[in-house]
Amino acid sequence: MRRCQWQVLKVGMAQVKIKVDVSKVRSAIQSGIPLVLTTYTFPREVEEYIRDIVKVFLTELNQPQMIDSLLYCVTELANNAKKANTKRVYFEAKGLDLTKPDDYKKGMATFKADTVDNLPYWLNLQKNKGLYIKIILQAKNNKIKLEIRNKSELAVYEYKRIHDKITRAQQYNSVEEGMAALLDDSEGAGLGLVMMILMLRNIGLAEENFQVISENGETITRLILPFSEESKAAIVAISRRFVELIKGLPEFPENINAVNRLINDPDSQMSDIAAKISNDVSLTGELLKMVNSAAFALSSPCSSVADAVKFAGIRGVRNLLFSIGSMQSLMVENDEGRKKMWDHSYRVAFYSNSLARSFFSKSSDKEFIEDAYVCGLLHDMGKIVFLSAHPDTMNKMQDVCKERGVSSDLFERLIAGVNHGEIGALIAEKWNFPATMVNVIRYHHEPELAPDNMWKITALVSFADLLAHYGEGTVDISQFDTEVLKLFNISTPEQLAQLSDKLSQAFRNSSRR
């Protein structure tokens, strides 16, 4: 399967200027998907391209104050990652064990001189051995995550050396002071790290914003860069004001609210609920249509509301009603943008339901399985609501943006992109959705922030969402959260591709019914 070049770029010894596709960087931000760029040799052309990506990425997020510092960090860390990979092939070629103190000292005595004299040879050697460098950018929860990953774990001596530099860098007040104290001719990384930490300090970052870890055969250097306080305040205020102004958004359908009230009444019987639904021809048709869909895998068609209620159960009926009500409120015929989003949502709902039934079969997972479909269906409600906003609302938002000094273009990018989870959750709260749905909508791009008792279902929908994008060829396994992959026993690209193909084929088959 050919992967999309803007989100997963694999380059070797590039020779031509690579142009940034701004629209696709914007799409990655709006989808909450990381940008992952993979190289093996980090030639000059690729370095320039990555710098251009960073500029566009930060400009789209209205974080220009970070550009200079982040450009320095990316270049410094990527070059250090390249050097670490080169060190591995150099030590191997010399018959030295990088993990042994004497070998390490001996190898480093000649490493710099030997590799500088014949750098293309060593770079090609590390490329042939698959020692990659990955640069990952992602906007999450009003923060920017930058990761530099290279295919080699740190030796104990390297790890201690880096952390010693980081700790000592806290003592310096300027780059000049750091240069005088840490100029290091043996490896050259010390000065660069000091400068980077001092630059990050200048934009308000603390030591905990910077991490260096080794796991699963990789070294990962991670920076978490919060949006400026002014920017965060504007995003929160504008998001809440947007929800307040959505007068054009219809209330949740009253016929469905009436059934929900009956469901929540402890004195009501299943027969009462079935009778209430049966009295509404439209609701009856929609309920039977959803119960008979491939997602529920009935052995024979269900033809009566009583049977549907009995089969789905109270929680299942309630979830189906929320699905039907949301679609009735937000679906508009002949609206291509919303149709495309709903098509994606149907796929994510199907994947979520299928994954829940395949991987979570314990009796304690019953509610989890029942909620999977509706949570998958409504995960992108924030984007759909944004497209549903009445023109009067958007005109009023222009005035709010002016008051906050935020351009209307930026407002649209933030609300439809990095903040659509929050917008959707606020609407779900307005419509009195259950807490599980609200939290999945809010955190489906960042399941690690969901409440502990809702992490698993949020991770499920997050995984299903990314699988849908993966099937389109727009994401790579490296863009999936490792903890989420573990939940589904995925450890190799082949396993992910196999699962994706299986779900995609099942979804196509269900669509033909």
Side-chain angles (χ1 to χ4, degrees):
M1 182 183 296
R2 184 177 180 274
R3 294 292 169 206
C4 182
Q5 294 301 301
W6 57 276
Q7 286 176 321
V8 184
L9 176 74
K10 295 186 179 180
V11 286
M13 299 296 284
Q15 298 295 327
V16 296
K17 173 74 173 177
I18 311 171
K19 186 177 180 181
V20 176
D21 188 330
V22 176
S23 67
K24 290 185 175 179
V25 173
R26 183 177 299 168
S27 178
I29 292 171
Q30 291 181 347
S31 299
I33 298 172
L35 286 165
V36 179
L37 302 104
T38 302
T39 182
Y40 294 88
T41 57
F42 202 49
R44 181 66 180 173
E45 295 83 0
V46 174
E47 181 180 336
E48 291 177 357
Y49 175 67
I50 291 171
R51 290 172 65 87
D52 289 343
I53 285 280
V54 171
K55 290 176 185 177
V56 170
F57 187 80
L58 293 176
T59 300
E60 286 294 310
L61 293 170
N62 196 38
Q63 302 298 312
Q65 79 283 356
M66 293 186 188
I67 290 177
D68 290 341
S69 297
L70 201 58
L71 286 176
Y72 180 87
C73 292
V74 168
T75 303
E76 172 68 20
L77 294 175
N79 275 306
N80 284 348
K82 178 176 70 174
K83 186 185 301 182
N85 287 348
T86 305
K87 195 186 300 182
R88 267 67 189 167
V89 295
Y90 177 80
F91 271 63
E92 183 179 337
K94 295 292 184 181
L96 299 172
D97 186 343
L98 189 142
T99 65
K100 294 181 178 179
D102 290 342
D103 281 7
Y104 185 81
K105 184 177 180 180
K106 181 179 179 181
M108 289 313 303
T110 56
F111 169 72
K112 185 174 181 180
D114 286 352
T115 54
V116 167
D117 288 344
N118 194 10
L119 188 58
Y121 168 77
W122 297 106
L123 292 179
N124 276 314
L125 188 58
Q126 68 190 47
K127 178 183 177 182
N128 292 336
K129 289 185 175 294
L131 300 184
Y132 56 73
I133 304 157
K134 291 183 179 180
I135 296 95
I136 302 171
L137 280 168
Q138 185 177 20
K140 297 176 64 173
N141 194 35
N142 295 334
K143 294 183 179 69
I144 293 167
K145 181 174 75 172
L146 166 67
E147 284 189 350
I148 309 294
R149 294 172 174 251
N150 60 288
K151 186 61 176 176
S152 54
E153 289 195 6
L154 287 171
V156 174
Y157 317 105
E158 295 173 304
Y159 188 81
K160 291 174 64 176
R161 186 181 185 86
I162 289 172
H163 279 271
D164 178 61
K165 303 292 187 186
I166 294 171
T167 302
R168 293 177 65 187
Q170 308 304 317
Q171 306 169 15
Y172 308 126
N173 298 312
S174 67
V175 173
E176 291 76 17
E177 185 179 344
M179 288 176 66
L182 283 176
L183 191 59
D184 185 340
D185 191 53
S186 66
E187 294 192 55
L191 177 60
L193 280 175
V194 169
M195 290 181 65
M196 187 184 75
I197 292 167
L198 291 173
M199 292 180 76
L200 292 174
R201 188 189 301 169
N202 288 338
I203 59 173
L205 298 188
E207 186 177 348
E208 57 266 24
N209 295 96
F210 179 72
Q211 293 178 307
V212 181
I213 58 176
S214 285
E215 61 182 20
N216 300 323
E218 287 186 321
T219 294
I220 304 167
T221 306
R222 180 180 295 131
L223 288 173
I224 304 297
L225 310 167
F227 286 6
S228 67
E229 291 302 320
E230 181 182 2
S231 178
K232 284 191 289 186
I235 292 170
V236 171
I238 289 173
S239 297
R240 294 193 176 279
R241 185 64 177 142
F242 175 70
V243 173
E244 292 171 4
L245 289 174
I246 302 180
K247 293 182 179 178
L249 186 69
E251 293 296 321
F252 205 69
E254 177 53 33
N255 61 335
I256 293 178
N257 281 335
V259 179
N260 274 324
R261 285 194 291 270
L262 194 59
I263 288 175
N264 292 328
D265 183 351
D267 296 325
S268 65
Q269 303 294 318
M270 295 283 276
S271 57
D272 298 327
I273 296 168
K276 185 72 173 179
I277 295 173
S278 298
N279 289 332
D280 188 315
V281 176
S282 174
L283 189 54
T284 295
E286 291 294 336
L287 179 65
L288 290 175
K289 179 181 176 182
M290 294 198 76
V291 169
N292 284 311
S293 70
F296 287 85
L298 295 182
S299 57
S300 59
C302 178
S303 58
S304 75
V305 172
D307 287 343
V309 170
K310 190 180 298 182
F311 167 76
I314 294 294
R315 191 181 186 93
V317 170
R318 183 204 62 183
N319 288 343
L320 289 171
L321 292 175
F322 279 118
S323 301
I324 293 166
S326 298
M327 288 187 290
Q328 287 180 354
S329 299
L330 300 175
M331 183 73 81
V332 176
E333 293 183 6
N334 301 319
D335 186 320
E336 191 61 32
R338 263 177 287 187
K339 181 181 182 303
K340 185 176 180 180
M341 286 188 183
W342 276 115
D343 287 345
H344 171 74
S345 295
Y346 286 133
R347 181 179 291 271
V348 174
F350 181 88
Y351 284 13
S352 297
N353 182 71
S354 299
L355 290 166
R357 292 176 182 276
S358 298
F359 287 88
F360 307 102
S361 57
K362 296 178 181 178
S363 58
S364 58
D365 291 325
K366 184 175 184 294
E367 291 184 354
F368 174 86
I369 295 170
E370 290 177 342
D371 291 346
Y373 186 89
V374 65
C375 287
L377 183 69
L378 302 181
H379 75 286
D380 265 347
M381 181 186 287
K383 290 184 179 181
I384 298 171
V385 166
F386 181 74
L387 288 179
S388 304
H390 194 276
D392 289 345
T393 298
M394 301 310 294
N395 290 335
K396 290 176 181 177
M397 284 308 303
Q398 298 278 358
D399 296 332
V400 174
C401 289
K402 287 179 183 178
E403 292 172 8
R404 291 276 174 176
V406 175
S407 71
S408 57
D409 286 345
L410 176 63
F411 160 68
E412 292 189 15
R413 292 200 296 272
L414 293 178
I415 297 302
V418 296
N419 220 38
H420 74 267
E422 180 65 20
I423 291 292
L426 291 172
I427 296 299
E429 289 174 340
K430 177 182 177 181
W431 281 350
N432 296 314
F433 280 20
T436 298
M437 294 185 200
V438 172
N439 279 285
V440 170
I441 292 169
R442 177 172 277 128
Y443 298 119
H444 68 275
H445 283 309
E446 42 203 355
E448 69 277 8
L449 298 181
D452 290 345
N453 63 333
M454 298 178 194
W455 175 81
K456 190 161 65 172
I457 190 166
T458 308
L460 168 77
V461 174
S462 176
F463 183 60
D465 183 29
L466 272 181
L467 270 176
H469 290 295
Y470 177 88
E472 298 167 355
T474 56
V475 301
D476 179 83
I477 189 171
S478 60
Q479 292 164 279
F480 287 74
D481 186 286
T482 54
E483 291 302 313
V484 174
L485 288 175
K486 289 178 184 177
L487 186 62
F488 297 95
N489 304 318
I490 300 293
S491 58
T492 68
E494 292 75 20
Q495 290 174 328
L496 184 66
Q498 184 178 16
L499 178 60
S500 174
D501 291 344
K502 180 180 178 181
L503 287 171
S504 181
Q505 183 61 51
F507 181 72
R508 285 195 297 271
N509 291 340
S510 72
S511 300
R512 298 190 188 107
R513 296 184 181 183

